[in-house]
Amino acid sequence: MAKTLFKKVWDAHVVKTLPDGTVLLYIDRHLVHEVTSPQAFEGLRLSKRTVRRPELTFSTLDHNVPTDDPFNIKDPISKAQVEALIKNCRENGVTLFDYATGHQGIVHAIGPEMGITLPGLTVVCGDSHTSTHGAFGGLGFGIGTSEVEHVLATQTLRQTPTKTFKVEFTGRLQPGCTSKDMVMKLIGLIGTAGGTGYVMEYCGEAVRALSMEARMTICNMSIEGGARAGMIAPDDTTFEYIAKGDRPYAPRGEALDKAIAYWRTLPTEDGAEFDRVITINTAEIAPQVTWGTSPGMVTDVTGVVPDPDKVPGYSRRDVEQALEYMDLKPGMKMTDIRPNTIFIGSCTNARIEDLRKVAKLVKGRRKADSVRVMVVPSSQQVRRQAEAEGLDKIMTDFGAEWRHAGCSMCLGMNPDQLKPGERSASTSNRNFEGRQGKGGRTHLVSPEMAAAAAVEGHFVDIRNWDGLKALNA
Amino acid sequence: MEPFSSHRGLVAILDRANVDTDAIIPKQFLKSIKRTGFGESLFFDWRYLPDGEPDPQFVLNFPRYQGASILVARNNFGCGSSREHAVWAVMQYGFRTIIAPRQEIGGAQVPGFADIFRNNSVKNGLLTIELEAPEVDKIFEMVERNSGLEATVDLDEQRLVLHLPEELAFHFEIDPVVKKHLRHGLDDIALSLEHEASITAFEKQHNPQMYRA
């Protein structure tokens, strides 16, 4: 029987199928950050267990790290959490990419850029955006702290097989539109729980045409569509990304050739069956902007804030609550919305390619007086690369703040938060109430759309925006 | 983990869909390195006024719901981040069971609970019950009309009974693996370590570092 990419990766990691149908699934890479791990390490200690494969476990500090002065964590509780991870890594022989290594960053940024994330692997982390790693053609998914402890102790997880959901993007993106718009459009169509219980496989002409960075953006937001994991079959784009650059954990030379030969066997075979299928014409996708407090509350930038009775998948009450929180009225044009904070960051959209695009769009311009612009690279490596290319100078000349790496205002565990009533255009992944700061209002957009809003002071349809030509220059 | 067989308690309702884990337990409380102390922060932004006093408008602050241990919510409860702190907060507040509806959205059946939240619940002994949307509507209606309404959840029988003058019962489905786990309060890690020899044998033929030059 023809197999899917998911099934191939799954089958290669089944240690044992237990009598009740549960599978003991082997985990190749366990990524760890400071927020969801301390209770797991503590649990190990209390039960006198040890980390089974410390060499497959990689950790970094990202959620609590201040992005203005990363060495100076003023909040004592944040500091204690960071120190707990440092201590846990030292005691258990786990590699820690802290600030001094030059490789600190958001956990989902450093896995791929260090060559830790590779095709065909199982990757887990106590973080829902672990779905990002599926862009390489492996199985990456988020777990809770109890499961973090389980992986530390056994290098396995107890899993039941998941259903599969094929998402085919036919055609090509319009100029100025991005993979962020593709995934936001998908979530608008299936709802934020439409993928619950499934692993997504993204395929089709539009996906094949995307860079690895853009693919990671799509897989990253699988969880916003309810799916724990999203996968993309590895191809030459994947292999080229792995082969190039400073990726200390990636194979090189003969080992790489051997690995590529294996990776080429992974893609879904013709005729393989999926439990659910959706096909989206990519050429019809307009730039997407969220108007509500759930990622599924999204529309085209050419649209208006919707009538509460006319939002598929949400009740009138859901929409009214969201609009009240967002301080928006039905019928208002999306292009009339004026954010006062532009956040370019997060594991969704702060990789080098994102920063290059933003820099092209804002080069030689000044931000609107009404906005504050924060640019937070996803990792120290991205920050260094951007500085080597002079992007930091372009950003600061534009009037943006050039920050150090971390999760930052995506969730505001560090001091980077919206104040009550502030409104952001954010390249992150969640527009939940209070996510970016209590009372803060979030509009999710692509980095390109965020950059255009930073210039104009309101959302614009980037396809007709005169600044767009700079992107192709 | 404490085994779950049956539980009787006061029922509270939260009439919101897509209750996300940021709403269940906001970020500032995730800095703790302990497993306890989260109950007071459950639904923090909804539950408290800026001065720190309980917001009398928030449903769980209504006098009639004090001491509730069964929560009825809407579709896609627990969406968002993987933070297990959300489950800890729900349980430490005093809930033993959450009920949410399956729902048809865009022609597809959408589960009542988000995957990771449901998974984390099992690990902590929190029972998540999924019912049909009209059944949950009925429960909402009965709870609103009958102050002090209690219910009994019987895991063995897979039954939820509302203690109205004329009892109203609902059957619920549950994954047999989850049921066994909750019923016996199993320690997953101990169970998995019973297969240590299999893991070791697997590791001999599967080298996750095989690509390393």
Side-chain angles (χ1 to χ4, degrees):
Chain A
M1 209 174 81
K3 276 182 164 186
T4 59
L5 164 65
F6 164 72
K7 188 79 171 88
K8 290 180 191 183
V9 176
W10 176 275
D11 286 350
H13 291 85
V14 175
V15 172
K16 195 174 190 179
T17 303
L18 306 174
D20 63 8
T22 308
V23 164
L24 217 50
L25 193 74
Y26 200 76
I27 302 304
D28 294 325
R29 301 287 185 270
H30 187 189
L31 310 178
V32 173
H33 64 70
E34 77 273 19
V35 180
T36 54
S37 66
Q39 297 88 351
F41 280 110
E42 177 70 5
L44 272 194
R45 238 187 320 270
L46 292 173
S47 51
K48 300 195 167 30
R49 290 171 180 143
T50 54
V51 179
R52 183 178 178 88
R53 299 294 298 271
E55 76 281 18
L56 302 182
T57 313
F58 300 89
S59 67
T60 191
L61 304 161
D62 53 9
H63 285 63
N64 281 280
V65 181
T67 58
D68 51 354
D69 184 0
F71 282 108
N72 187 7
I73 304 181
K74 293 191 186 92
D75 177 349
I77 310 173
S78 282
K79 198 169 179 191
Q81 191 165 55
V82 161
E83 282 167 355
L85 182 62
I86 295 170
K87 179 169 164 282
N88 287 328
C89 288
R90 202 168 42 223
E91 287 177 4
N92 291 281
V94 170
T95 302
L96 171 69
F97 299 113
D98 63 5
Y99 204 81
T101 63
H103 289 293
Q104 172 266 345
I106 308 177
V107 66
H108 309 307
I110 67 169
E113 75 186 14
M114 301 277 285
I116 295 167
T117 304
L118 296 168
L121 299 183
T122 49
V123 181
V124 299
C125 174
D127 194 289
S128 60
H129 290 111
T130 311
S131 57
T132 312
H133 306 269
F136 288 79
L139 179 63
F141 57 95
I143 55 178
T145 298
S146 294
E147 288 185 314
V148 170
E149 186 178 338
H150 192 283
V151 178
L152 289 173
T154 70
Q155 204 58 36
T156 66
L157 275 174
R158 301 169 83 83
Q159 294 283 299
T160 43
T162 312
K163 292 181 287 181
T164 52
F165 191 155
K166 176 180 173 178
V167 182
E168 186 176 8
F169 287 99
T170 59
R172 288 294 185 98
L173 280 167
Q174 297 176 53
C177 298
T178 70
S179 66
K180 180 73 163 279
D181 301 303
M182 289 163 69
V183 70
M184 286 170 66
K185 180 75 190 179
L186 169 69
I187 296 163
L189 290 171
I190 65 167
T192 51
T196 306
Y198 295 93
V199 165
M200 305 281 201
E201 182 178 339
Y202 304 104
C203 60
E205 186 191 351
V207 173
R208 294 271 73 94
L210 296 173
S211 67
M212 286 315 294
E213 281 89 345
R215 292 178 188 186
M216 283 189 251
T217 301
I218 294 195
C219 290
N220 174 276
M221 286 189 73
S222 301
I223 186 67
E224 271 60 66
R228 280 177 92 178
M231 304 173 83
I232 294 175
D235 60 9
D236 288 337
T237 304
T238 321
F239 309 146
E240 197 180 314
Y241 177 96
I242 293 166
K244 281 187 181 167
D246 175 22
R247 311 201 192 287
Y249 291 88
R252 289 290 177 256
E254 216 176 295
L256 179 61
D257 297 340
K258 213 175 121 196
I260 289 175
Y262 168 59
W263 296 338
R264 285 196 194 282
T265 69
L266 291 173
T268 295
E269 291 157 18
D270 288 341
E273 285 183 17
F274 290 83
D275 297 292
R276 194 176 165 192
V277 177
I278 188 173
T279 305
I280 297 171
N281 182 357
T282 315
E284 288 175 1
I285 298 175
Q288 302 289 298
V289 184
T290 61
W291 48 263
T293 53
S294 164
M297 293 175 168
V298 63
T299 192
D300 297 352
V301 68
T302 50
V304 295
V305 176
D307 181 323
D309 282 325
K310 290 181 184 148
V311 185
Y314 294 95
S315 69
R316 181 181 178 87
R317 196 185 150 83
D318 295 341
V319 176
E320 282 174 346
Q321 278 168 346
L323 293 184
E324 189 190 339
Y325 182 85
M326 294 297 291
D327 191 27
L328 295 173
K329 297 272 180 296
M332 183 178 181
K333 285 161 98 174
M334 295 305 289
T335 48
D336 285 343
I337 296 174
R338 304 185 70 86
N340 50 29
T341 303
I342 311 292
F343 173 63
I344 293 163
S346 88
C347 58
T348 311
N349 273 130
R351 287 174 278 270
I352 188 68
E353 182 182 276
D354 298 314
L355 302 189
R356 284 180 187 141
K357 286 182 177 163
V358 169
K360 276 189 174 180
L361 291 170
V362 305
K363 189 175 182 180
R365 292 176 176 265
R366 261 318 273 185
K367 70 171 184 68
D369 289 339
S370 55
V371 301
R372 169 192 183 195
V373 184
M374 278 176 73
V375 182
V376 186
S378 59
S379 69
Q380 283 184 293
Q381 189 168 317
V382 167
R383 186 178 143 102
R384 272 195 306 276
Q385 178 68 30
E387 288 177 352
E389 295 175 19
L391 307 186
D392 58 323
K393 180 79 170 52
I394 295 172
M395 304 286 190
T396 50
D397 286 351
F398 176 63
E401 299 164 31
W402 178 245
R403 296 292 192 119
H404 292 272
C407 299
S408 183
M409 198 186 269
C410 176
L411 86 166
M413 262 190 86
N414 74 347
D416 305 340
Q417 295 183 17
L418 291 179
K419 292 187 191 73
E422 283 189 335
R423 185 182 294 284
S424 75
S426 178
T427 67
S428 59
N429 42 56
R430 288 184 178 140
N431 51 346
F432 298 154
E433 277 188 24
R435 167 93 176 171
Q436 294 193 293
K438 186 170 178 170
R441 299 170 178 137
T442 304
H443 297 276
L444 302 175
V445 288
S446 70
E448 288 87 331
M449 284 285 288
V455 172
E456 302 296 340
H458 58 88
F459 291 118
V460 296
D461 182 350
I462 190 161
R463 293 170 300 178
N464 314 320
W465 185 56
D466 73 344
L468 178 64
K469 51 187 182 295
L471 211 51
N472 304 315
Chain B
M1 188 179 100
E2 217 178 299
F4 191 116
S5 57
S6 77
H7 171 78
R8 179 172 174 148
L10 182 67
V11 188
I13 51 174
L14 180 62
D15 193 6
R16 275 181 178 255
N18 304 302
V19 172
D20 60 73
T21 54
D22 281 82
I24 297 172
I25 182 98
K27 57 193 149 262
Q28 63 269 34
F29 304 107
L30 309 186
K31 296 178 183 182
S32 167
I33 57 173
K34 301 195 183 105
R35 254 179 198 270
T36 52
F38 297 101
E40 282 169 26
S41 315
L42 177 73
F43 299 126
F44 186 86
D45 287 356
W46 293 339
R47 198 165 141 201
Y48 299 103
L49 294 166
D51 65 2
E53 288 300 308
D55 181 349
Q57 303 290 318
F58 180 58
V59 65
L60 292 185
N61 290 332
F62 293 180
R64 60 180 289 194
Y65 294 129
Q66 297 317 296
S69 59
I70 298 170
L71 181 66
V72 193
R74 298 294 187 185
N75 183 254
N76 197 26
F77 189 91
C79 61
S81 108
S82 65
R83 58 187 75 165
E84 197 161 315
H85 313 66
V87 172
W88 299 335
V90 163
M91 294 193 76
Q92 288 161 19
Y93 177 90
F95 290 117
R96 294 295 315 273
T97 299
I98 308 183
I99 299 161
R102 262 187 298 280
Q103 204 156 316
E104 190 178 309
I105 296 176
Q109 276 290 322
V110 169
F113 296 89
D115 267 341
I116 307 179
F117 181 86
R118 196 187 70 99
N119 217 31
N120 287 339
S121 297
V122 180
K123 310 291 177 197
N124 289 277
L126 176 69
L127 173 63
T128 57
I129 297 178
E130 194 180 73
L131 294 173
E132 297 298 333
E135 294 177 314
V136 172
D137 288 343
K138 184 79 184 166
I139 299 173
F140 264 91
E141 187 193 326
M142 289 300 127
V143 173
E144 274 176 347
R145 274 211 249 145
N146 299 277
S147 189
L149 181 62
E150 293 195 352
T152 296
V153 181
D154 187 322
L155 181 57
D156 290 326
E157 297 293 321
Q158 296 177 212
R159 241 162 76 97
L160 168 77
V161 178
L162 298 187
H163 297 293
L164 291 159
E166 199 165 327
E167 286 191 344
L168 194 57
F170 302 87
H171 173 79
F172 61 87
E173 292 299 325
I174 186 166
D175 179 339
V177 176
V178 171
K179 181 176 177 176
K180 186 176 156 207
H181 193 101
L182 290 170
R183 186 67 190 79
H184 301 286
L186 300 175
D187 172 4
D188 267 350
I189 299 178
L191 286 177
S192 297
L193 285 174
E194 288 174 12
H195 303 285
E196 223 259 305
S198 299
I199 299 172
T200 304
F202 180 86
E203 282 173 330
K204 288 210 170 83
Q205 53 90 21
H206 173 90
N207 180 2
Q209 294 276 43
M210 67 179 168
Y211 311 130
R212 191 84 185 265

